[in-house]
Amino acid sequence: MAKKGYTIKATDFKYPTREELKEIRKESPSIGNFNFPYVFEISSLLNKNPIEEVVRNSHLHWWDTCLTNRLGNLSQAYENTAVNFNRGIPSEPIDYSKDEVVNWIQFNFYGETYCYFFHSVKETLAQVLNIYFGCGKDEKDVTLFKVKKFLMRNEAYQETTTLIENFSKETTTISEIRNSFVHRYPSNFPDYRPSLRTERNGKVYGSGSKKEIKSSDLMNIIKKSYEDLEIFVNSLRPKLN
């Protein structure tokens, strides 16, 4: 990493200041839930509303509440990622100052956290759509892809299907990065692993390439994915009235 070592203490890690957050929020997406109302279940049932309708509407409300929580966590992760990036992260991991080391550590931590919450928001949206459109998928089996396949059967849902397709396509890169954090060698970690491939004349060794995603590229991907999410949710809103 750096040519000289630093002793980093807890006091070296600084929360974003009010001024830093204000600057980030000038251009940050603003994403809200769908405002599905709370259901007074007992009174609804006593008024002889259909049980299926009461349960459906109650589920929509509580998944919407969950979405609010997920969006709040995503927003905080995004703001912390952007603040630490703006504080200064050199493009090459050499001759870092102590403050830059701290910024780099926090940028990578919150950037990875953002990817996890982004995936959580995406899956929560799939749960909302599954219930709203009556896809009938069990909670553990719900994905946006499965919801899209269900909606494709009905031409009345073509616009919603297209929204899901476009969102999935536009956020492919952030999904691949998240998957690398969870399932594979992390894409933001220098890859020194050697390679081995088989050719006609035998085995061929390749030295590690130190390949990793640049912090500036990761920040741009995160920013784009957040903007894509805002477009997707705001486009869905009139479909869920």
Side-chain angles (χ1 to χ4, degrees):
M1 190 173 158
K3 288 185 177 179
K4 53 184 178 180
Y6 296 105
T7 300
I8 298 176
K9 302 177 181 178
T11 54
D12 294 318
F13 293 86
K14 308 293 184 183
Y15 283 109
T17 64
R18 180 180 299 178
E19 291 72 23
E20 287 175 321
L21 289 175
K22 185 177 180 180
E23 190 64 28
I24 295 299
R25 289 168 181 171
K26 285 180 181 178
E27 298 181 356
S28 295
S30 178
I31 311 173
N33 67 4
F34 298 109
N35 293 314
F36 290 114
Y38 176 79
V39 177
F40 294 91
E41 297 169 14
I42 301 301
S43 59
S44 296
L45 292 170
L46 290 175
N47 287 331
K48 298 186 178 180
N49 290 324
I51 295 176
E52 294 83 356
E53 177 185 309
V54 173
V55 171
R56 172 185 180 271
N57 292 341
S58 185
H59 276 233
L60 285 172
H61 168 76
W62 289 114
W63 272 115
D64 205 29
T65 302
C66 181
L67 178 62
T68 301
N69 173 271
R70 302 290 88 185
L71 287 171
N73 289 334
L74 183 71
S75 174
Q76 186 173 9
Y78 175 82
E79 291 173 353
N80 287 349
T81 303
V83 164
N84 283 285
F85 180 80
N86 290 347
R87 285 174 176 174
I89 300 175
S91 58
E92 293 294 331
I94 55 175
D95 291 331
Y96 276 11
S97 70
K98 183 177 180 179
D99 286 343
E100 289 168 337
V101 172
V102 173
N103 296 344
W104 182 80
I105 291 172
Q106 293 197 111
F107 169 79
N108 278 286
F109 176 82
Y110 287 113
E112 186 167 338
T113 302
Y114 171 89
C115 292
Y116 297 145
F117 278 120
F118 183 86
H119 185 78
S120 179
V121 168
K122 185 171 71 171
E123 294 303 303
T124 302
L125 286 168
Q127 297 286 353
V128 172
L129 296 175
N130 175 59
I131 295 167
Y132 188 89
F133 290 108
C135 300
K137 301 294 183 183
D138 190 80
E139 181 179 321
K140 63 182 175 60
D141 297 323
V142 173
T143 64
L144 270 182
F145 176 76
K146 291 180 180 179
V147 170
K148 184 193 74 172
K149 283 188 67 176
F150 175 85
L151 297 180
M152 287 174 64
R153 303 173 188 171
N154 191 329
E155 290 187 7
Y157 300 144
Q158 184 175 355
E159 290 185 5
T160 304
T161 301
T162 301
L163 289 176
I164 295 173
E165 287 178 341
N166 291 342
F167 175 68
S168 299
K169 180 179 179 181
E170 292 298 322
T171 57
T172 296
T173 303
I174 194 73
S175 295
E176 289 176 347
I177 291 173
R178 176 264 177 188
N179 289 339
S180 82
F181 291 151
V182 178
H183 306 294
R184 298 189 285 276
Y185 201 86
S187 56
N188 64 339
F189 198 80
D191 191 353
Y192 293 102
R193 298 172 300 164
S195 63
L196 177 65
R197 68 179 187 273
T198 302
E199 294 188 355
R200 181 176 300 177
N201 297 327
K203 305 290 185 180
V204 178
Y205 164 87
S207 61
S209 63
K210 189 185 168 294
K211 182 179 179 181
E212 63 177 311
I213 188 170
K214 293 181 178 180
S215 297
S216 57
D217 291 338
L218 179 57
M219 187 68 246
N220 287 334
I221 292 167
I222 287 173
K223 182 178 180 181
K224 179 183 181 301
S225 70
Y226 205 16
E227 293 169 349
D228 289 332
L229 179 64
E230 180 185 36
I231 293 171
F232 181 54
V233 173
N234 289 339
S235 299
L236 278 177
R237 204 175 304 282
K239 311 294 182 187
L240 308 181
N241 51 28

